[in-house]
Amino acid sequence: MARPRKPLLSRDRIVEAASALVDSEGLDAVSTRRLAAELGVSGPSLYNHFRNKDEILDAVADAVSAQVDLSMFDESDARDWRAALHDWAVSYRAALAEHPHIVPVLAQGPGRRPAGLRVADAVFGAMVRAGWPPAQATYIGALMRYFITGSALGSFARGFVDDETAYDPADYPNLGQAHLLADRRQKVDEGAFETGLRALVDGLSLQYEQLERGQLPPAGTVRPAPKRS
């Protein structure tokens, strides 16, 4: 029997084609009709693998989650929870930086996506094993997702135009170098992420010390400002 001229349609082929479309043109470019044309098949054939466009985008998002390194959360890994959290966040952001257009879908949470749930399970489990109460471990997981996905949703540096005249010192006396940011986008954005990540981990370390001393206040407690001498 002669082989078919084109590979048989599969979930993996559909996800690969959808991922390429999202990366190159954004979420709005994805439709079952467009994907069918890209794959050289009839539109209804896609429904043998996915019920609708949302399921396809879920699969694309999950494929990105599967790229995130989770090895630092293995019980055999020597890194403590602080280093593990830092290294995982760096890996997660790197995956999102490669596929920025899918970030709004990922930001909604893992839902039923297997790879996304494995990420959540790994983070939560590692924090609980480190000694964090389950509630605090949940807060940490949520905090890190807010921070990482938020940092990947847009570029701070790209928000400034490459035009020195846009920043008249009479109006913006402190933005004399702002026109240079666009050309330094990667350095600025990566530096901002690393600065924020260190601040988060350092802050959590202080809370962990309070936890070990039995002095960690319940979440939501407003602590009085220290008195000035």
Side-chain angles (χ1 to χ4, degrees), residues 16-72:
E16 183 179 350
S19 296
L21 266 181
V22 172
D23 286 346
S24 62
E25 300 182 36
L27 294 173
D28 291 340
V30 179
S31 68
T32 54
R33 178 179 298 180
R34 177 74 183 276
L35 281 174
E38 293 285 333
L39 292 163
V41 299
S42 62
S45 63
L46 298 179
Y47 297 119
N48 293 325
H49 302 276
F50 295 97
R51 289 182 298 180
N52 51 44
K53 170 184 172 177
D54 287 342
E55 280 196 358
I56 295 173
L57 291 178
D58 263 355
V60 171
D62 212 39
V64 174
S65 293
Q67 298 173 17
V68 180
D69 182 13
L70 298 177
S71 63
M72 65 286 295

